[in-house]
Amino acid sequence: MEIINLNDTENKLFYIGGVVRDEILGQKSFDIDLTYVGNAIEFAKTLEGIEILKINEPFGTVRIKANGREVDIASTRKEIYERPGHLPTVTEIGCSLKDDVLRRDFTINALAKNYNTGEIIDYTGGLEDIKSKTLKVLHDNSFVEDPTRIIRALKFAVRFNFSLDEHSKKLRDDYLKNINYDMSFKRVKKELTETFNLNSQRAYDEFIEAGIYKLVTEKEVKKQNINIENLINKYKSLINPSNIWLIYLATIGDLSKLELTKEEKKILDDFESIKNIELNTDFDTYKAFENKHPETILIYGILKDLIPAINYIENLKNIKIEITGEDLQKLGVKPSPKYKECFDKILEAKCYNSNLTKQDEIMIAKEYFDI
Ligand code: ATP
Ligand code: MG
């Protein structure tokens, strides 16, 4: 762990959460989270040679820049869930380190490491659980307070190859039988995105088999028989990595609870618009998939029919006609909607024989316009 020159002679500063877990696991951590037993904002103001970037007074957090790195320092805090499923309310800033870690999601995320001495503080058995690759909630009400933890568990399980312990699994299953849909779906979406952008078939299988998908829809969902991870890997270069999650989630059907971006909506709407078109010929396939996001085409492949989807991606997509409007004008044809019909005719011919030359295309145009 990179040590930043912060002066804490009182031993009140701790690395906390994911960063401690990742160091023990030997994994790279992207952000450095610190917690200060007391008021982190006041503490940050006493530090020399650092820059304060952002202060969040109600949460008692501060972002600083030290030695060129951005670091978040939080005040230790207690929280209560006044409205389960929504963000908690801070009830005390500057509580004990123990109280601060007890509000966290899993034991493996509840470890602290003294900034000065490097001593690991483990109030909840997180070290043992890292060894046994176990995800364990800190109390029985954990998933009720914050159901996004169910998806977080899936994310960490896949990322580190861990599993929920039996008791936590039972708590999860109990919650999934009695979901309170009054929750922040913005946070649900964030966790789903992070989980499924890992592109993991295991995440998908568990999502469906354990009924975690029920957080998103009240309808029944059946597992697709196709290996989505392999399919995505095969066409990775075509897909926007931040849309991978949507390919998985599209199999749920109803995503109306999630707030989708314009692009995400278009990917799904385009699938809806083509899913019932009969694709009898390559030209039908070409026209159906033309100008669609590759994500839409893969969703079609998973939910409807893989053969035309792959045929389009591997063969038809590359077919382009060379003839232009200018060429038609040179042939003496006046611009009109007939141009498009003619181009479609040529395209259709090219779908059957991609070796047609521009000369061949002109021949077809002449025939079409009876020249
Ligand atoms: P990542 O590597 O994905 O960032 P992380 O463990 O650092 O993993 P964050 O979402 O950055 O996860 O959160 C930082 C810490 O805050 C977690 O380690 C955990 O202690 C706590 N935390 C985050 N989300 C929750 C939650 N929903 N409920 C309880 N504690 C949480
Ligand atoms: Mg983090």
Side-chain angles (χ1 to χ4, degrees):
M1 203 177 294
E2 203 166 318
I3 299 287
I4 302 144
N5 231 351
L6 300 180
N7 197 8
D8 170 42
T9 48
E10 296 175 296
N11 282 330
K12 286 182 164 185
L13 192 61
F14 295 84
Y15 291 102
I16 194 84
V19 67
V20 184
R21 173 203 68 211
D22 288 345
E23 192 194 14
I24 294 166
L25 282 168
Q27 300 231 358
K28 206 174 151 45
S29 242
F30 293 103
D31 33 45
I32 300 181
D33 286 316
L34 296 171
T35 194
Y36 181 79
V37 183
N39 187 318
I41 300 168
E42 295 308 315
F43 169 70
K45 286 179 184 161
T46 68
L47 296 171
E48 279 168 24
I50 61 118
E51 192 186 336
I52 292 186
L53 300 175
K54 207 163 96 188
I55 288 179
N56 182 336
E57 201 75 51
F59 274 82
T61 59
V62 54
R63 176 165 296 168
I64 63 165
K65 197 167 188 178
N67 292 350
R69 291 204 67 166
E70 288 189 14
V71 182
D72 285 317
I73 312 180
S75 309
T76 45
R77 66 174 189 262
K78 270 192 190 175
E79 294 174 337
I80 52 161
Y81 285 81
E82 287 175 308
R83 251 178 105 191
H86 294 268
L87 276 182
T89 313
V90 177
T91 54
E92 187 185 333
I93 286 195
C95 67
S96 67
L97 181 67
K98 187 169 182 181
D99 279 341
D100 181 90
V101 302
L102 291 180
R103 70 177 166 81
R104 291 170 186 268
D105 50 0
F106 304 106
T107 61
I108 66 160
N109 288 344
L111 292 162
K113 177 177 167 175
N114 187 302
Y115 194 86
N116 265 345
T117 65
E119 184 196 359
I120 302 274
I121 316 286
D122 179 10
Y123 289 115
T124 66
L127 284 173
E128 205 42 52
D129 290 338
I130 287 181
K131 267 197 215 132
S132 64
K133 294 174 163 281
T134 306
L135 290 157
K136 212 181 270 174
V137 290
L138 303 193
H139 57 85
D140 285 3
N141 217 25
S142 188
F143 293 134
V144 177
E145 283 181 352
D146 183 355
T148 65
R149 289 173 186 159
I150 292 177
I151 309 168
R152 285 176 66 81
L154 187 61
K155 176 174 75 179
F156 294 123
V158 163
R159 207 155 94 189
F160 305 130
N161 197 20
F162 280 27
S163 322
L164 270 180
D165 78 313
E166 286 309 314
H167 183 62
S168 304
K169 206 180 267 178
K170 185 177 177 316
L171 295 171
R172 175 195 72 184
D173 295 344
D174 286 348
Y175 182 78
L176 291 172
K177 280 184 206 126
N178 189 16
I179 297 170
N180 173 9
Y181 284 101
D182 173 22
M183 67 175 89
S184 158
F185 282 97
K186 201 170 153 192
R187 299 175 65 229
V188 169
K189 185 185 173 191
K190 178 177 172 281
E191 293 300 339
L192 286 172
T193 309
E194 288 182 14
T195 305
F196 283 100
N197 281 347
L198 296 170
N199 187 24
S200 156
Q201 187 66 26
R202 178 187 161 192
Y204 180 69
D205 291 347
E206 258 184 69
F207 189 63
I208 306 293
E209 282 159 12
I212 301 170
Y213 74 83
K214 294 194 167 105
L215 292 171
V216 185
T217 179
E218 290 165 65
K219 295 179 187 143
E220 284 291 314
V221 172
K222 281 204 200 75
K223 213 174 98 185
Q224 298 299 319
N225 275 327
I226 194 165
N227 186 310
I228 303 175
E229 178 180 338
N230 289 347
L231 184 71
I232 290 174
N233 274 335
K234 193 161 173 205
Y235 298 110
K236 214 171 193 153
S237 62
L238 304 175
I239 306 167
N240 175 351
S242 49
N243 285 335
I244 290 175
W245 77 280
L246 192 59
I247 300 175
Y248 282 95
L249 265 289
T251 67
I252 304 304
D254 163 34
L255 299 185
S256 55
K257 292 186 196 296
L258 305 179
E259 208 170 290
L260 300 179
T261 64
K262 246 178 150 173
E263 183 181 74
E264 290 163 351
K265 269 199 203 110
K266 175 146 176 52
I267 288 170
L268 297 181
D269 289 349
D270 279 352
F271 167 66
E272 288 300 318
S273 74
I274 59 175
K275 73 174 187 197
N276 294 321
I277 297 178
E278 257 189 64
L279 305 181
N280 294 319
T281 66
D282 280 0
F283 184 58
D284 290 344
T285 305
Y286 188 101
K287 291 309 277 182
F289 292 147
E290 188 184 17
N291 300 325
K292 302 289 187 289
H293 282 277
E295 290 86 344
T296 300
I297 300 169
L298 291 184
I299 291 168
Y300 184 97
I302 294 163
L303 292 177
K304 276 289 285 187
D305 191 354
L306 197 55
I307 292 168
I310 290 187
N311 182 26
Y312 181 80
I313 294 174
E314 293 196 350
N315 309 309
L316 304 175
K317 183 166 69 75
N318 305 316
I319 296 175
K320 297 269 175 310
I321 59 171
E322 288 172 67
I323 195 169
T324 63
E326 221 170 280
D327 295 318
L328 293 183
Q329 275 188 13
K330 277 190 203 149
L331 291 176
V333 184
K334 280 209 193 94
S336 82
K338 287 247 173 231
Y339 269 35
K340 188 169 179 310
E341 282 175 29
C342 172
F343 291 149
D344 270 355
K345 263 265 143 342
I346 297 169
L347 200 54
E348 187 170 3
K350 273 205 124 162
C351 280
Y352 295 107
N353 180 3
S354 57
N355 293 327
L356 294 183
T357 63
K358 186 164 178 185
Q359 268 320 306
D360 297 328
E361 293 182 20
I362 290 175
M363 286 299 291
I364 298 170
K366 280 182 165 172
E367 224 171 273
Y368 182 78
F369 287 109
D370 227 354
I371 300 169

